[in-house]
């Protein structure tokens, strides 16, 4: 697949801006030459001609091609050459300006894709290496097509097709790309680890399912589908499987909470630092307990509210607001008195209509009303209790039922 990569500063490149200083330049020459040269790069990428364009292609792009070629060659954007008695245009090969893939790169990519699609090559590689990179020892994710932990196959001999499974290894995308950029230093910066032993070889569930789908190829190659240990679980991508692995140059350090110990530069694995329990927080100055903190000692001020323990004793002091907390006994002087002695006005006595009719059914009671005027069950609900304690029908209010102080009656005053 042909593609062209344009640099972020290509339009403001110094060689493009120098066109304005030429004697033959016109006010629009900078944009005209830049567009003309860019179109020739596109044609070279489509044709796979390795930065070379024929003179006939230039003639088809612009009727002013002769002047534009001279101006572009004077600033270094291209070069006019003769190859085999034919006039050709050789574009500048600069990745910061315009970069395209050469024919050699395209052919190698097609060959690499053909090797990866050959099951007779990749199945033995996956059985031998498992789902871990042979350079960093970390678990790869075969479903990841873009991330650094994605699983790939690396050719041990760059630029040469694989002849057998020994020419391919499992590698994460980070190590594979790093080896390509390292050039001659790839073997030193990314040393190849030995194939993992069968006892420590790791396979994910998706890999074993893929093996089962290609069981026929396993039979043809004389291989046996590996089995997973009972109770084994899938590991997250990036988990370390090789204690003998050395850190890869430029790799991000392990973060806290991942469960993986930090790796020293010497290759030895350091144990994870022990976690210490934080010190208990100091009690709040207001005397109230904050969530998740322990109560401290009582304050020095004699008027301050003493700090409470986790479980309050039975004779704890009442709450400062005057309300009795649920589940605690009050220390007030009248705490042991009966309810009718403390607040006789709020004791609710049963109505005589219900007390004197034990044999009445529930339906009969509901049909006749609740027995209390103003509740809404007596019909209109308008027979409420007045200021004098008399209902609308002249009946007296039940004994012990008084209007609470502080409540404002609704309606017109």
């Amino acid at each position: 697949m042909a593609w062209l990569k344009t640099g972020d500063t290509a339009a403001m490149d110094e060689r493009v801006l120098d066109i304005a200083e030429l004697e033959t330049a016109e006010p629009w020459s900078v944009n005209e030459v830049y567009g003309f040269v860019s179109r020739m790069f596109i044609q070279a990428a489509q044709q796979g001609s390795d930065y070379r364009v024929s003179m006939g292609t230039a003639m088809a792009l612009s009727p002013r091609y002769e002047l534009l070629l001279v101006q572009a060659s004077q600033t270094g954007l291209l070069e006019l050459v003769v190859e085999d008695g034919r006039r050709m245009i050789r574009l500048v090969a600069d990745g910061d300006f315009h970069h395209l893939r050469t024919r050699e790169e395209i052919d190698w990519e097609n060959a690499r894709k053909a090797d990866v699609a050959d099951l007779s090559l990749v199945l033995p590689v996956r059985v031998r290496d498992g789902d871990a990179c042979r350079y960093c020892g970390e678990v790869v994710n075969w479903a990841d097509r873009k991330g650094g932990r994605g699983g790939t196959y690396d050719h041990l001999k760059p630029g040469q097709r694989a002849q057998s499974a020994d020419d391919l290894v499992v590698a994460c995308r980070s190590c594979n790309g790093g080896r390509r950029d390292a050039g001659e230093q790839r073997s030193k910066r990314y040393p190849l680890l030995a194939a993992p032993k069968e006892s420590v070889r790791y396979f994910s569930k998706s890999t074993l399912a893929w093996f089962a789908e290609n069981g026929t190829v396993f039979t043809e190659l004389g291989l046996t589908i590996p089995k997973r240990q009972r109770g084994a679980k899938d590991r997250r991508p990036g988990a370390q499987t090789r204690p003998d692995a050395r850190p890869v140059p430029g790799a991000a350090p392990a973060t806290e909470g991942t469960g993986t110990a930090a790796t020293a530069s010497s290759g030895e694995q350091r144990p994870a630092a022990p976690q210490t329990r934080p010190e208990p927080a100091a009690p709040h100055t207001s005397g109230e307990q904050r969530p998740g903190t322990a109560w401290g000692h009582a304050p020095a001020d004699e008027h301050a509210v003493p700090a409470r323990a986790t479980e309050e004793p039975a004779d704890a002091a009442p709450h400062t607001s005057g309300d009795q907390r649920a589940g605690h006994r009050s220390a007030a002087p009248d705490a042991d008195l009966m309810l009718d002695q403390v607040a006789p006005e709020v004791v609710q006595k049963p109505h005589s209509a219900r007390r004197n009719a034990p044999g009445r059914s529930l339906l009969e009671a509901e049909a006749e009303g609740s027995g209390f005027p103003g509740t809404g069950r007596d019909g209109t609900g308008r027979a409420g209790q007045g200021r004098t304690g008399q209902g609308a029908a002249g009946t007296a209010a039940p004994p012990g039922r008084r209007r609470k102080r502080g409540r404002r009656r609704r309606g017109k005053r």
Side-chain angles (χ1 to χ4, degrees):
M1 176 180 176
W3 57 267
L4 175 67
K5 179 181 178 182
T6 301
D8 297 337
T9 59
M12 301 299 294
D13 191 276
E14 184 179 358
R15 290 164 293 192
V16 177
L17 300 180
D18 288 346
I19 298 175
E21 301 179 5
L22 300 178
E23 296 180 357
T24 59
E26 298 175 275
W28 55 83
S29 294
V30 174
N31 293 333
E32 186 180 15
V33 173
Y34 176 74
F36 176 71
V37 173
S38 299
R39 292 190 63 184
M40 285 194 294
F41 269 98
I42 295 175
Q43 292 295 326
Q46 294 178 351
Q47 300 172 4
S49 56
D50 297 351
Y51 294 94
R52 294 182 301 172
V53 180
S54 64
M55 191 61 64
T57 302
M59 295 172 60
L61 294 178
S62 176
R64 290 160 48 93
Y65 73 96
E66 293 183 353
L67 176 61
L68 299 180
L69 288 176
V70 172
Q71 291 176 342
S73 62
Q74 290 177 353
T75 57
L77 293 176
L78 53 86
E79 182 181 1
L80 301 175
V81 297
V82 178
E83 296 180 357
D84 298 333
R86 184 183 178 185
R87 295 177 61 190
M88 297 291 295
I89 303 170
R90 184 177 299 171
L91 303 173
V92 58
D94 187 358
D96 296 334
F97 185 63
H98 289 306
H99 175 69
L100 52 87
R101 292 187 302 173
T102 62
R103 173 61 61 180
E104 182 181 0
E105 293 175 352
I106 296 175
D107 293 342
W108 165 240
E109 182 180 354
N110 295 333
R112 183 175 57 83
K113 290 182 178 179
D115 291 345
V116 172
D118 189 356
L119 293 179
S120 62
L121 289 175
V122 298
L123 281 179
V125 173
R126 294 280 289 273
V127 173
R128 180 196 63 202
D129 298 343
D131 291 340
C133 177
R134 284 285 299 273
Y135 298 107
C136 63
E138 297 181 356
V139 175
V140 299
N141 182 13
W142 294 102
D144 188 356
R145 303 297 182 185
K146 296 181 179 180
R149 299 304 178 189
T152 61
Y153 300 97
D154 183 35
H155 286 72
L156 296 179
K157 299 177 181 179
Q160 299 183 15
R161 296 198 59 175
Q163 303 298 326
S164 64
D166 296 335
D167 296 333
L168 294 174
V169 293
V170 173
C172 63
R173 187 169 284 105
S174 297
C175 293
N176 199 345
R179 277 175 48 85
R180 179 181 64 249
D181 299 337
E184 300 295 335
Q185 300 293 328
R186 62 172 59 95
S187 298
K188 182 179 180 180
R189 296 183 59 185
Y190 296 85
L192 182 65
L193 300 175
K197 298 181 180 180
E198 185 177 359
S199 58
V200 297
R201 199 174 302 159
Y202 167 72
F203 297 98
S204 62
K205 291 183 179 180
S206 59
T207 297
L208 296 178
W210 182 64
F211 287 165
E213 294 176 0
N214 299 277
T216 305
V217 183
F218 271 87
T219 304
E220 296 176 356
L221 298 176
L223 300 175
T224 303
I225 299 178
K227 296 182 180 180
R228 197 176 186 182
Q229 296 180 0
R230 181 175 300 180
K233 299 181 180 179
D234 280 353
R235 304 178 185 178
R236 59 174 179 80
Q240 184 59 253
T241 61
R242 304 289 296 272
D244 57 338
R246 293 192 298 176
V248 176
T255 57
E256 297 181 1
T258 57
T260 306
T263 308
S265 58
S266 60
E268 299 180 358
Q269 196 167 11
R270 295 178 296 181
Q275 298 181 357
T276 58
R277 180 175 299 179
E279 296 293 335
H284 196 248
T285 56
S286 62
E288 295 295 334
Q289 185 178 2
R290 287 185 176 181
T293 59
W295 292 97
H297 300 285
D301 190 1
E302 60 180 0
H303 299 288
V305 179
R308 294 187 295 272
T310 305
E311 298 182 359
E312 295 185 4
D315 55 349
H319 196 256
T320 56
S321 62
D323 298 334
Q324 182 67 25
R325 287 190 176 182
H328 297 283
R329 183 179 177 183
S330 174
D334 56 351
D336 297 333
L337 299 179
M338 299 301 292
L339 182 61
D340 55 353
Q341 298 177 3
V342 178
E345 65 276 5
V346 298
V347 176
Q348 187 70 30
K349 295 183 179 180
H351 194 260
S352 58
R354 292 193 176 186
R355 183 177 68 250
N356 299 331
R360 299 172 63 191
S361 62
L362 181 61
L363 296 178
E364 295 176 356
E366 292 181 353
E368 296 182 7
S370 62
F372 295 96
T375 59
R377 295 188 180 182
D378 300 318
T380 63
R382 297 180 179 178
Q385 181 178 348
R387 293 181 178 270
T388 60
Q390 300 294 330
T395 59
R401 184 178 180 86
R402 299 178 58 184
R403 183 171 60 87
K404 294 183 179 180
R405 295 182 178 179
R407 294 184 58 183
R408 179 178 298 178
R409 295 182 59 193
R410 297 183 179 179
K412 298 183 178 179
R413 302 185 62 179

